[in-house]
Amino acid sequence: MIAHLQRATTTAALIPALYGHDHPRYRLRPRLIGADYRGADKQLPLFGDPQEVLGGGVLDAPALRIGSRAPERPVWMCSVRSDPRHPDLTDAQWADVARRLLSATGIAPAGDPVGCRWAAIRNLDRCVHIVATVVREDGSVHSTYRDAFHAQAECHRIAADLGHLTRSVPSVTTAKDYRMPIPPISITIEPSGSVVARGSSDDLSAALIKHAGFLEKADWYGRRHRLPTTTATADRAAIATHAAEMLRAARYDVDLDPRLDTELLPGRAERQRLTTAGEQVLQLTDRIRGAADFGELSGVLDELLDPHGGVLDRVHEAMEAASEQITDLDPDQFALSDRFGFAADFISAAQGELAGALDDVQRARSHQAPADTASAAVPYSVAATEAARSASPAVTARGRSVADPAAAAPPSAASPRPAGRIR
């Protein structure tokens, strides 16, 4: 919740700002939600259209009574806006917000019969405009010194009472506690689609925001920064997240719209899962290379070759799904769809080739000890490998033997390729 103070010569001068543009399409419809006219001679509405109050000079009367002693701009207006990430307040709640701010600043303290006249007006959602005169009913003039501080401090406490803040707000009761609370820097998307950063109150935060790619704007809202309208939609979240990271690294409190947080955008979690899956396969590869015996190797290969949910089975399903999806998206892309279909067939052939391979690896454990003198003379790893190859159904089906070098040699270019074998 943020408060913004302005001064004017008369309440009638505020009518254009409160009612908006003269064109009917842009014309606003303000309404009174609360008021206190103190010693006014006639009965005035407390709710409804504020035109009579603003144009009739009711709030200006105390300043006119004291003549030249009145300030040059006796009309005081405080515009308060709430956090758009939380539900809007009702008219009764906004009226209570207005009374708390008037009491905190000393414009109209609670229980003071000679305080300043005021009226609370709403013309848009999530905001209220408090219009008052700084001349009290007894002719004294309210000192506006530190009104901005007291108003913003009270806004901070109101936001905490409404549950809009995650942290507690210390009570401002003594002189040593009189310091302006620093609101968080918010980076959000406005209803118009613009990406705006608000709350930058010093040169360092402004420099960091501009370094990220924002442009500084200065208007009645105060200091704010906005991304250029030419910024690509795909780049807005990246720039906003980069600005938030730099501000947080500099110890600023930043509220980043979830729609601009690349950590929360759809697709990032999917990419992260894909990266994790690739890392898991890489870990399987490392475990295969580091297996100390056939028992340990069999356990790792079981995760890779399991026909019901193993890595190879999941890759086969992914290739088939890609082939089908390409055809669904564009039937004319049959050639591209076939490429993925062929890849799925190759993986299926590889699964058929490796059927029963786990049993062979487990049986190879019995061949780890040398069976005769000749095998004892061969290093353990070589002997175990030769035993595993000799027990392979694929080798047996082709009528080959490890002891027959001619059979073990690869087929020539002229010889036919065995069916079902992936080279």
Side-chain angles (χ1 to χ4, degrees):
M1 189 170 287
I2 299 175
H4 178 68
L5 299 183
Q6 299 180 78
R7 298 290 294 274
T9 54
T10 62
T11 53
L14 299 175
I15 292 178
L18 295 175
Y19 278 82
H21 197 275
D22 290 338
H23 194 282
R25 180 180 176 185
Y26 302 101
R27 190 169 179 82
L28 303 175
R29 292 178 174 82
R31 63 183 185 276
L32 276 171
I33 61 171
D36 191 342
Y37 308 114
R38 305 295 180 175
D41 296 335
K42 60 179 180 178
Q43 293 294 328
L44 294 169
L46 299 179
F47 304 97
D49 190 353
Q51 183 73 36
E52 182 180 358
V53 177
L54 296 175
V58 178
L59 302 181
D60 301 322
L64 297 175
R65 282 202 304 265
I66 64 174
S68 60
R69 292 195 299 111
E72 182 180 355
R73 293 183 297 171
V75 177
W76 180 95
M77 185 171 80
C78 179
S79 301
V80 185
R81 296 183 178 273
S82 64
D83 192 335
R85 295 170 299 178
H86 298 280
D88 195 6
L89 306 182
T90 63
D91 286 354
Q93 289 176 311
W94 276 118
D96 184 60
V97 169
R99 294 186 185 94
R100 289 184 61 172
L101 289 171
L102 291 165
S103 180
T105 55
I107 292 286
D112 185 359
V114 294
C116 302
R117 300 181 183 185
W118 61 273
I121 302 168
R122 293 195 68 189
N123 60 357
L124 291 171
D125 294 337
R126 303 186 182 281
C127 70
V128 66
H129 303 282
I130 309 168
V131 181
T133 178
V134 296
V135 180
R136 297 162 55 87
E137 289 297 311
D138 58 2
S140 61
V141 179
H142 165 72
S143 174
T144 58
Y145 177 66
R146 296 177 68 83
D147 272 2
F149 159 69
H150 291 297
Q152 188 57 55
E154 187 65 21
C155 283
H156 212 58
R157 287 192 291 272
I158 292 171
D161 294 342
L162 293 173
H164 293 183
L165 296 179
T166 58
R167 58 185 183 278
S168 60
V169 180
S171 176
V172 181
T173 56
T174 61
K176 65 179 181 180
D177 290 330
Y178 280 0
R179 56 185 180 273
M180 178 68 74
I182 301 176
I185 298 174
S186 63
I187 304 177
T188 185
I189 302 177
E190 291 187 329
S192 63
S194 300
V195 178
V196 178
R198 290 191 178 91
S200 173
S201 57
D202 61 339
D203 293 337
L204 175 58
S205 61
L208 293 175
I209 294 173
K210 287 189 287 187
H211 179 72
F214 286 76
L215 299 178
E216 185 170 343
K217 302 291 182 181
D219 51 23
W220 74 278
Y221 285 101
R223 192 179 201 175
R224 63 193 180 107
H225 298 79
R226 187 179 67 185
L227 277 182
T229 55
T230 56
T231 304
T233 304
D235 296 336
R236 298 192 307 173
I239 296 174
T241 301
H242 180 53
E245 290 174 349
M246 289 193 296
L247 290 168
R248 287 167 180 160
R251 303 299 181 88
Y252 287 97
D253 188 8
V254 182
D255 287 339
L256 180 61
D257 193 316
R259 294 171 294 176
L260 297 172
D261 193 342
T262 56
E263 295 291 336
L264 304 178
L265 289 179
R268 184 178 180 89
E270 294 295 333
R271 293 193 299 271
Q272 184 65 28
R273 281 197 291 270
L274 289 176
T275 303
T276 304
E279 291 177 352
Q280 290 176 353
V281 175
L282 183 60
Q283 291 175 3
L284 287 177
T285 305
D286 293 339
R287 289 168 58 190
I288 290 173
R289 291 172 176 166
D293 52 38
F294 280 100
E296 184 177 349
L297 180 61
S298 174
V300 182
L301 291 178
D302 185 33
E303 300 179 33
L304 183 66
L305 304 178
D306 185 0
H308 304 291
V311 174
L312 205 59
D313 185 50
R314 294 306 183 204
V315 174
H316 175 257
E317 293 176 359
M319 292 296 108
E320 286 185 335
S323 177
E324 295 172 359
Q325 187 66 16
I326 290 171
T327 305
D328 292 342
L329 294 175
D330 187 354
D332 294 335
Q333 296 292 338
F334 56 88
L336 180 59
S337 175
D338 288 345
R339 292 175 64 186
F340 284 90
F342 294 152
D345 293 341
F346 291 152
I347 297 174
S348 180
Q351 288 178 295
E353 171 68 21
L354 295 173
L358 286 177
D359 296 336
D360 297 336
V361 173
Q362 292 175 355
R363 285 196 296 269
R365 299 174 61 182
S366 61
H367 297 278
Q368 288 182 352
D372 50 26
T373 308
S375 61
V378 182
Y380 162 72
S381 59
V382 176
T385 303
E386 296 299 331
R389 291 183 58 194
S390 64
S392 172
V395 175
T396 304
R398 292 193 299 270
R400 297 179 180 178
S401 173
V402 176
D404 185 3
S412 62
S415 62
R417 178 175 297 179
R421 178 65 175 173
I422 305 298
R423 290 289 184 183

